[in-house]
Amino acid sequence: MFLKAAVNGGLSKTEHPAVPVTPRELAADTVAVIAAGADVVHLHVRTPDGGQTIEPAALAEVLREVRSAAPGATLGTTTGLWTCSGPEERYALVKAWEVLPDFASVAFSEEDAAATASLVLARGMDLESAVWSLDDIPALLASPTLHDNVRILIEPMDTEPAAAVTHARAMASRIRAAGVTCPLLYHGEGSTTWPVLRAALEDGHQTRIGFEDGVHLPDGTLAADNSALVRAARALAT
């Protein structure tokens, strides 16, 4: 079982008091989730007002803090357009990153995803391409980086669990039919988090868990922290 911990996303402390936001909190949380069984960590850099950013100095501060606390951790971040004003600024910011994560995620639902994906690889990072729906797959398959992904993220936006699982499997089938052989990773959100994770395990794919996806354990109780979610995911695989 390969498990990614997605530790914060855009979640606020109002939604869960243990969500890591500051560089120090992200460092401590990374140490904890790796100890709990996460293979890699995906984090979003946050601004003082709680927003999300991919600004080079802010990213560098977080990566240095986290690597100081967890020097062996494999770290990734987002390139989501919600972190900046649009595709042009995103490209300029990623090009200007001073300290690089180990991997970066690019959503093919977004404008100019292929250019950003190519830049991620050109700068020496591993690439994760993401699809949110079947409509995103043509852009993914047309990308020159298609066969250079460390993994492809399948992220159904459906809110009903059975629909999300069906949609994830349909996207995976379409991608595999195109001859793509890299690992696939399913993950859901909110009520679909655990059903989609279980489907990933059943299908032999990689998995993801953490506050970015949901704050509840499989039994519906509130998780104390990201480590509790990671332990719960590991327990499902045994």
Side-chain angles (χ1 to χ4, degrees):
M1 175 189 185
F2 176 97
L3 178 62
K4 178 198 288 187
V7 296
N8 62 348
L11 201 71
S12 72
K13 288 187 179 293
T14 301
E15 295 166 288
H16 197 296
V19 62
V21 175
T22 68
R24 182 169 294 183
E25 289 170 346
L26 285 164
D29 218 59
T30 296
V31 170
V33 297
I34 293 294
D39 293 292
V40 301
V41 176
H42 173 79
L43 54 85
H44 290 206
V45 178
R46 307 291 286 274
T47 59
D49 66 359
Q52 301 175 60
T53 183
I54 56 171
E55 192 275 328
L59 176 61
E61 180 184 10
V62 166
L63 291 176
R64 289 187 179 112
E65 185 84 22
V66 175
R67 285 175 173 151
S68 177
T74 301
L75 307 175
T77 196
T78 184
T79 64
L81 284 180
W82 62 85
T83 64
C84 57
S85 65
E88 291 184 1
E89 185 184 23
R90 169 172 66 183
Y91 192 92
L93 289 171
V94 174
K95 188 174 181 179
W97 282 355
E98 304 159 1
V99 179
L100 299 178
D102 299 292
F103 62 92
S105 305
V106 180
F108 273 76
S109 59
E110 296 181 340
E111 186 180 354
D112 286 343
T116 301
S118 294
L119 178 60
V120 166
L121 290 172
R123 296 222 56 206
M125 294 169 274
D126 285 335
L127 171 67
E128 298 180 322
S129 294
V131 289
W132 296 358
S133 74
L134 286 166
D135 291 340
D136 301 339
I137 291 180
L140 172 72
L141 298 183
S143 171
T145 62
L146 175 63
H147 296 290
D148 297 314
N149 286 285
V150 68
R151 66 188 62 86
I152 291 174
L153 313 179
I154 293 177
E155 307 174 323
M157 296 290 106
D158 311 81
T159 58
E160 197 278 318
V165 169
T166 297
H167 195 181
R169 286 174 166 157
M171 287 189 274
S173 178
R174 184 83 59 86
I175 291 166
R176 286 291 190 239
V180 177
T181 59
C182 74
L184 306 180
L185 183 154
Y186 297 174
H187 79 86
E189 182 177 292
S191 63
T192 73
T193 300
W194 293 105
V196 171
L197 188 147
R198 288 188 180 96
L201 291 174
E202 291 168 5
D203 296 352
H205 296 315
Q206 297 183 355
T207 61
R208 185 177 110 164
I209 198 64
F211 281 158
E212 182 174 353
D213 297 339
V215 298
H216 293 95
L217 297 168
D219 65 3
T221 59
L222 190 69
D225 50 30
N226 276 305
S227 298
L229 292 168
V230 169
R231 288 191 294 272
R234 281 284 174 200
L236 289 179
T238 59

